[in-house]
Amino acid sequence: MILSDTEVAVAAASAGAAVVRRYYGTAVDHFAKADRDFATTADLEAEQAILAVLRAHRPDDGFVGEESGRSGASASRVWLVDPLCGTLNFAVQSPLIAVNVALRSADASVAAAADPLSGEIFWTDGTASWVRRDGTDAPLVPSASSRLVDVNLDPPFPNAATFLATSLLADPEFQSEFGPRVLSTTLAVTWVAAGRRAAYVTDGDRRDSVHFAAGLAICAAAGCVVTGLDGGPLDSGPGGLIVAADPATHETLLRMVRKQP
């Protein structure tokens, strides 16, 4: 069967999510990486399940996996894979995790992000975005009505001289405008597209990130405002992210970020 790129992304994310779901709440081995970071048996096996789907349907494409690195020959079509975003949450049985699969190419912007525990799959074909529940797709409609903003507090903070998430949270204007949330997982990015969050803010370089590529593609196709911390394109400036449900919310947050010394 010949599948579209979108169908391949959804199938791959679903395969990874099935592995993560099977391991959730069980004893898994931990494998140390850098600093406080680690992978688990679930990360490794979920990535292999995802890559198996991608290699079966797109054998000539390139692949970048969070755990296994780069493979495949193509440089023009590359799949970015994060098999378990929120590994620490997973390890301590906090149900805020995601499986991310995105295709980077000149003529496609498809992606899928699965929530293994709710069974939801957020996906885009590059023109619009949907969420699949129990086999039924519904369009994603961003909304800032919740006034909830997720802020990533995980280091590193490369822009600490001009932006700190903790300072944003302490800003009286932020406190009067929004309710802060801290999930430490890219599931929060897709929730902006779904209207469950007004915005998401993080520091760091997010270009071609296996963690963020899927969520950002879904948000962009849903009509969210996606920029760097300076309000410019993601491929320029200091990095970081402001993902907002609408222009007014984005402008408010951008003004608060610019207030920082």
Side-chain angles (χ1 to χ4, degrees), residues 179-223:
R181 292 293 184 273
V182 180
L183 295 188
S184 299
T185 172
T186 55
L187 190 61
V189 180
T190 61
W191 284 1
V192 178
R196 302 173 191 176
R197 292 291 188 269
Y200 177 88
V201 181
T202 186
D203 195 0
D205 188 352
R206 307 307 177 198
R207 291 166 287 192
D208 288 339
S209 165
V210 296
H211 306 290
F212 285 91
L216 293 181
I218 291 165
C219 281

Side-chain angles (χ1 to χ4, degrees), residues 8-244:
V8 171
V10 170
S14 299
V19 173
V20 173
R21 188 164 50 248
R22 186 174 76 247
Y23 276 111
Y24 185 77
T26 69
V28 292
D29 291 331
H30 290 204
F31 306 94
K33 296 165 72 172
D35 299 324
R36 297 174 298 171
D37 196 13
F38 63 91
T40 70
T41 304
D43 296 72
L44 302 181
E45 291 193 15
E47 181 159 305
Q48 290 307 306
I50 292 168
L51 293 179
V53 172
L54 297 178
R55 287 168 176 154
H57 294 280
R58 296 294 186 270
D60 297 326
D61 288 356
F63 314 96
V64 177
E66 167 73 4
E67 308 305 335
S68 60
R70 180 177 291 273
S71 60
S74 176
S76 60
R77 284 177 52 91
V78 179
W79 294 87
L80 304 174
V81 175
D82 185 359
L84 177 47
C85 184
T87 298
L88 180 56
N89 283 346
F90 169 85
V92 298
Q93 298 183 41
S94 294
L96 298 169
I97 52 181
V99 175
N100 299 319
V101 178
L103 172 63
R104 185 190 65 196
S105 73
D107 57 356
S109 182
V110 306
D115 180 341
L117 304 184
S118 74
E120 292 179 320
I121 301 175
F122 303 88
W123 62 275
T124 181
D125 61 0
T127 62
S129 297
W130 293 266
V131 59
R132 182 168 298 176
R133 303 183 189 92
D134 300 323
T136 300
D137 292 319
L140 293 178
V141 181
S143 170
S145 60
S146 72
R147 310 311 295 165
L148 298 177
V149 174
D150 265 298
V151 179
N152 183 8
L153 300 182
D154 288 343
F157 306 116
N159 293 295
T162 56
F163 170 78
L164 276 175
T166 50
S167 297
L168 180 66
L169 294 175
D171 187 328
E173 184 181 5
F174 181 89
Q175 295 170 1
S176 68
E177 289 280 346
F178 303 110
R181 292 293 184 273
V182 180
L183 295 188
S184 299
T185 172
T186 55
L187 190 61
V189 180
T190 61
W191 284 1
V192 178
R196 302 173 191 176
R197 292 291 188 269
Y200 177 88
V201 181
T202 186
D203 195 0
D205 188 352
R206 307 307 177 198
R207 291 166 287 192
D208 288 339
S209 165
V210 296
H211 306 290
F212 285 91
L216 293 181
I218 291 165
C219 281
C224 300
V225 182
V226 179
T227 72
L229 283 173
D230 63 350
L234 295 180
D235 59 357
S236 64
L241 283 174
I242 302 176
V243 183

